[in-house]
Amino acid sequence: MNPTAAPHAQDHGSWQAVGIARPHESAELHVLGQATYTDDIPELQGTLHAALGLSARAHASITGIDLAPVRASNGVVAVLTAADIVGTNDCGPIIHDDPILSAGEVLYVGQPIFIVVADTHDNARRAARCAVIDYQVLPAILTPQDAKAAQSYVLPTMRLTRGDFRTAFDLAPHVVKGKLFVGGQEQFYLEGQIAYAIPQEDQGMLVQCSTQHPSEMQHVVAHALGVHSHKVRVECRRMGGGFGGKESQSALWAAAAGIAAARLKRPVKLRADRDDDMLVTGKRHCFYYEYEVGYDDSGKILAAKVDMTLRAGYSADLSGPVATRAVCHFDNTYYLSDVEILAGCGKTNTQSNTAFRGFGGPQGAIAIEYIIDDIARKLGRDALDIRRLNFYGISDRNITPYGQEIVDNVIDALTTELERSSDYRARRTAIDAFNQASPVLKKGLALTPVKFGIAFNVTHLNQAGALVHVYVDGSVLVNHGGTEMGQGIHTKVMQVVAHELGVSLDKLRVTATDTGKVSNTSATAASTGADLNGKAAQDAARQIRERLTAHAIKLYGADDGQPVRFFDDAVHVNGHVVPFPELVQKAYLARVQLWSDGFYATPGLHWDPKTMSGHPFSYYAYGAAVSEVVVDTLTGEWKLLRADALYDAGRSLNPAIDIGQVEGAFIQGMGWLTTEQLWWNDAGKLMTHAPSTYKIPGISDCPDDLRVTLYRNDNVEDSIHRSKAVGEPPLLLPFSVFFAIRDAISSVGGHRVSPPLNAPATSEEILRAVSIVELGA
């Protein structure tokens, strides 16, 4: 069997379990408050609670530390430092530059120095504040601009080129140059970081952990304890949100809990307070850009160069792959013939930034959108027309800067449909008239497109495994390597298996992701969760169906004109309609194997990080959005009045879940670009470390008129039921909000000046841009 080959599809007639709206498999439990998260797991007798002692300096050597006041605090059982780690003091996912506990030098405010273990959560937290630490303060770098100036990087700078940028730029009739800063974003998952480590026999350790990457947690805990991976089992039934923040960064919490539990031989729970969570963990990378672009009289881009500097933080974490994806998404939906793209991962004395929904793709793509917005304004044209002019072609102008041919380009047709359905041109005329008559309140409108590559850039991660068990009563149990964080992966995988076996969804159940069941799993990330694990589960279910098919033919004979079909909780064979449980019972008595493992590896992928070229993506997801805003030019306040989003989900597995994902991604991306400002003081402390100081969108920030539609476009690749990923790409749709705000500001000066608007476009940033436009006009 070839695990990457297309399965033999069965004809279900009108019956189907995929392609239809189904509730989230845990929806009822969520509503009733009965869904079990890590902190809800009943605590075993003797459970202790841990907290972390954190650095108060951005960069310093520890010259003295007195932990006696910590040990003397109420309820304290133990205090552990780096010297107590028997294995490897590291939780870095790629480069081993990320200590679990600082061993003498601290590199950011919030870096863990010690673990305190006490009888209660509250006592552990209080004790962690009692340490007396002496520091010798060292110079600190806090911004990507400063890192660039100091040539301070955690990795070598990446460079992708095609054609001859310099020559093309020098010959271009028009040029635009500029700088842009786009801030980072806190994941702000509702459930914070948490791990519950329970010692097992023979040096074993069970870790219940809120994580997107159980296998990585298994490796980190095993290395920290100095044992082989088979001694450590990590389990996660569900997370209360992840958004990338629990891909690699849950390792610190899992390791610390495991270290304490192994040392004390008692269960230990480590649950982060929201403030500590935000102070310790990394966020979406902020980016600083310097760009120069040449274009012709029509607005067609002839040459483009961008130099991107990420705020990586104090260690590499996942900054390398994030930068790679940013480089590969700078083109977005546009053909760039002569291009030079640079990405440097700036080393700063701040939290080590990490994965966040989009994983660098949004940061790469927003730069080219900003540039096109500049070009349109300089030419006095509608930005939509400049975007269309530069779109990738179908049979030519269809090779990306990294060498991948685009074979499924629907962006022009999709944009045309949205332009029509949103009444873009009529609304543009109406807004121009409104702005002419309104001196203070200004409206803005923007339509922005999306092209997003689906797959892990690191090829070997594009694999998945699953187990399917059919019990003698006909019920089905599924386990796979993906993790549920509210996005509905378990629901989609259940639908795939139900469709394959022809049974109703209520006959299926999915169990917790468990390294003891499916091993060597990849993170549930890169929007690949349903693609990979759905295929693996389909493979397992298909093997069972084929065994049952053979047994059904043995029992009831075969009709050459009619294949055996499984649907509507029955098996249809040679004129007989056999209830599924009945055939299963007969197969069991005949000793037919009723469980199977499944595996899938995405075919056709390759990537050369040295040349920054290859075929890194299985396919592309497309989309576009139109946003209309109104801005108060005296206060900087703004309101999103209406948003229209059209998203290419392929042949959607579950339209209800997919539309929900688009809506959520739109609002989350809007928050990143408008309200969610991360601010460090001059001493390097993150001051926006709680809901009181960090502004995520609320209900009042959502538009009264939000229209989300799925664009039907069967995937050209053999994805699971020809569907497309929907986790990350929609986060780029609210680019339209940012550029609508910029459009409104631009109207203050009659669209003659490009507003120098950075993100997030807070009220203060909007007022700054308005004042510059007024002066320039």
Side-chain angles (χ1 to χ4, degrees):
M1 179 188 65
N2 179 2
T4 64
H8 300 293
Q10 60 166 336
D11 179 14
H12 293 92
S14 61
W15 187 93
Q16 59 182 11
V18 296
I20 54 178
R22 293 291 191 193
H24 190 286
E25 50 88 23
S26 294
E28 185 173 318
L29 298 178
H30 290 155
V31 172
L32 295 175
Q34 296 174 356
T36 301
Y37 295 87
T38 301
D39 200 33
D40 300 320
I41 296 170
E43 294 176 5
L44 298 177
Q45 178 69 27
T47 292
L48 298 171
H49 297 265
L52 300 176
L54 308 178
S55 165
R57 300 290 183 271
H59 189 198
S61 295
I62 297 176
T63 57
I65 181 167
D66 182 4
L67 296 175
V70 181
R71 294 187 175 95
S73 294
N74 288 339
V76 170
V77 175
V79 180
L80 307 176
T81 66
D84 297 304
I85 299 175
V86 298
T88 304
N89 182 21
D90 178 76
C91 57
I94 301 174
I95 296 176
H96 302 302
D97 59 349
D98 202 341
I100 299 167
L101 299 175
S102 170
E105 181 184 14
V106 293
L107 297 169
Y108 74 100
V109 175
Q111 183 171 7
I113 299 172
F114 61 90
I115 307 167
V116 56
V117 187
D119 57 347
T120 69
H121 172 72
D122 189 56
N123 280 341
R125 287 197 66 225
R126 291 179 183 275
R129 270 66 174 171
C130 295
V132 179
I133 304 175
D134 297 320
Y135 300 95
Q136 180 183 350
V137 176
L138 301 171
I141 295 174
L142 301 179
T143 69
Q145 296 94 318
D146 290 341
K148 180 179 176 66
Q151 292 294 289
S152 172
Y153 299 107
V154 296
L155 295 166
T157 297
M158 299 175 187
R159 182 172 181 264
L160 186 156
T161 64
R162 176 166 69 178
D164 184 350
F165 160 75
R166 184 50 57 188
T167 299
F169 181 81
D170 290 341
L171 294 174
H174 307 281
V175 300
V176 59
K177 299 181 180 181
K179 298 176 181 179
L180 172 66
F181 180 85
V182 175
Q185 185 181 21
E186 164 65 32
Q187 289 87 358
F188 217 93
Y189 24 67
L190 290 181
E191 175 203 32
Q193 299 280 1
I194 183 171
Y196 185 28
I198 305 167
Q200 309 286 288
E201 65 179 13
D202 192 24
Q203 292 185 295
M205 186 67 65
L206 168 63
V207 182
Q208 302 277 0
C209 185
S210 182
T211 181
Q212 295 172 237
H213 201 345
S215 288
E216 177 71 14
M217 301 309 105
Q218 179 188 37
H219 299 157
V220 170
V221 173
H223 293 156
L225 301 185
V227 300
H228 290 298
S229 291
H230 72 280
K231 295 278 190 179
V232 178
R233 181 172 146 236
V234 177
E235 183 179 87
C236 177
R237 173 57 181 91
R238 61 174 61 83
M239 289 166 275
F243 307 115
K246 296 176 181 176
E247 181 174 345
S248 64
Q249 300 259 321
S250 49
L252 166 66
W253 313 89
I259 290 165
R263 177 65 177 264
L264 300 173
K265 295 181 171 37
R266 290 174 65 178
V268 174
K269 179 186 285 188
L270 174 55
R271 183 181 79 238
D273 174 82
R274 177 67 65 180
D275 294 80
D276 290 347
D277 193 318
M278 292 184 72
L279 280 171
V280 173
T281 61
K283 295 89 175 62
R284 182 189 298 281
H285 294 71
C286 69
F287 272 56
Y288 168 69
Y289 312 81
E290 295 177 358
Y291 60 87
E292 47 184 342
V293 173
Y295 58 98
D296 65 17
D297 293 341
S298 68
K300 180 177 289 186
I301 295 174
L302 305 176
K305 178 180 179 180
V306 64
D307 188 347
M308 304 183 282
T309 304
L310 300 63
R311 178 189 274 146
Y314 75 96
S315 68
D317 195 81
L318 297 172
S319 293
V322 167
T324 301
R325 187 167 281 267
V327 168
C328 291
H329 283 76
F330 172 66
D331 61 325
N332 196 19
T333 57
Y334 312 111
Y335 178 75
L336 305 174
S337 59
D338 295 82
V339 63
E340 182 176 359
I341 309 169
L342 300 136
C345 300
K347 183 174 184 177
T348 57
N349 295 109
T350 54
Q351 293 81 357
S352 187
N353 285 326
T354 190
F356 195 134
R357 195 177 196 171
F359 203 77
Q363 295 99 311
I366 197 170
I368 193 67
E369 295 298 338
Y370 197 91
I371 290 164
I372 285 181
D373 210 48
D374 280 351
I375 293 172
R377 203 159 284 112
K378 285 182 177 293
L379 293 176
R381 301 271 304 280
D382 190 309
L384 176 56
D385 297 328
I386 306 302
R387 290 186 166 97
R388 281 189 175 283
L389 180 68
N390 286 283
F391 276 166
Y392 275 106
I394 303 298
S395 58
D396 63 350
R397 291 169 50 88
N398 63 342
I399 306 295
T400 66
Y402 46 90
Q404 180 163 339
E405 181 181 359
I406 300 175
V407 298
D408 60 342
N409 185 2
V410 297
I411 194 59
D412 188 69
L414 186 151
T415 301
T416 297
E417 182 173 325
L418 181 63
E419 180 183 352
R420 177 194 55 77
S421 65
S422 67
D423 296 319
Y424 176 85
R425 300 291 176 179
R427 290 165 66 194
R428 167 63 70 195
T429 301
I431 285 172
D432 289 343
F434 174 90
N435 288 339
Q436 286 287 334
S438 177
V440 175
L441 298 180
K442 299 291 186 180
K443 288 187 176 181
L445 185 72
L447 189 157
T448 56
V450 175
K451 172 181 68 67
F452 197 92
I454 304 300
F456 288 100
N457 277 73
V458 180
T459 302
H460 75 265
L461 297 178
N462 294 283
Q463 59 175 297
L467 296 173
V468 175
H469 293 205
V470 176
Y471 295 97
V472 291
D473 64 353
S475 63
V476 182
L477 192 69
V478 182
N479 188 271
H480 61 91
T483 53
E484 177 65 55
M485 61 197 90
Q487 85 281 34
I489 186 175
H490 286 347
T491 308
K492 287 185 173 182
V493 170
M494 287 171 63
Q495 288 181 264
V496 167
V497 173
H499 190 82
E500 201 67 23
L501 296 178
V503 299
S504 54
L505 210 57
D506 60 2
K507 303 297 192 300
L508 274 81
R509 180 167 176 259
V510 172
T511 56
T513 310
D514 188 335
T515 59
K517 294 180 179 178
V518 177
S519 64
N520 308 319
T521 58
S522 296
T524 305
S527 302
T528 62
D531 281 6
L532 294 175
N533 295 283
K535 277 285 195 179
Q538 183 187 51
D539 178 40
R542 185 179 71 250
Q543 294 178 59
I544 297 171
R545 175 170 58 82
E546 289 173 349
R547 295 183 197 124
L548 289 173
T549 296
H551 191 63
I553 292 173
K554 185 177 180 180
L555 291 175
Y556 301 103
D559 181 344
D560 292 337
Q562 289 290 331
V564 178
R565 295 189 297 153
F566 290 64
F567 65 92
D568 201 16
D569 291 309
V571 182
H572 302 253
V573 50
N574 198 22
H576 298 270
V577 179
V578 184
F580 183 78
E582 181 180 322
L583 180 63
V584 166
Q585 291 164 8
K586 291 180 177 180
Y588 168 72
L589 294 175
R591 296 184 294 179
V592 174
Q593 182 180 333
L594 295 174
W595 62 268
S596 184
D597 63 314
F599 181 76
Y600 178 72
T602 310
L605 303 178
H606 58 91
W607 176 251
D608 185 341
K610 293 180 180 178
T611 62
M612 298 291 287
S613 64
H615 191 287
F617 303 121
S618 175
Y619 60 86
Y620 296 97
Y622 300 91
V626 177
S627 290
E628 180 180 343
V629 303
V630 61
V631 173
D632 186 328
T633 59
L634 295 182
T635 67
E637 294 174 285
W638 64 278
K639 176 69 177 175
L640 176 60
L641 301 174
R642 173 179 165 183
D644 298 64
L646 183 59
Y647 182 71
D648 166 27
R651 191 187 299 172
S652 172
L653 289 173
N654 187 321
I657 283 179
D658 286 349
I659 288 174
Q661 284 290 292
V662 175
E663 292 172 342
F666 189 95
I667 299 302
Q668 187 173 53
M670 182 182 77
W672 164 50
L673 294 172
T674 59
T675 64
E676 297 185 41
Q677 184 175 34
L678 295 166
W679 181 71
W680 288 260
N681 65 17
D682 291 341
K685 181 179 180 180
L686 178 68
M687 303 304 292
T688 49
H689 54 77
S692 58
T693 52
Y694 185 78
K695 175 67 169 69
I696 65 171
I699 292 296
S700 62
D701 297 303
C702 300
D704 293 336
D705 192 351
L706 175 59
R707 310 179 188 192
V708 173
T709 306
L710 299 182
Y711 182 79
R712 179 61 185 260
N713 173 40
D714 289 5
N715 199 339
V716 297
E717 297 297 326
D718 179 32
S719 59
I720 185 66
H721 290 286
R722 302 289 174 173
S723 63
K724 287 192 177 185
V726 75
E728 294 173 301
L731 191 127
L732 284 70
L733 295 173
F735 283 5
S736 57
V737 176
F738 179 81
F739 289 107
I741 292 173
R742 198 176 188 221
D743 181 57
I745 297 169
S746 174
S747 71
V748 172
H751 298 294
R752 294 184 297 273
V753 178
S754 286
L757 187 67
N758 294 313
T762 60
S763 294
E764 295 86 347
E765 180 65 19
I766 289 171
L767 286 178
R768 185 187 71 85
V770 167
S771 65
I772 293 173
V773 169
E774 288 175 334
L775 289 173

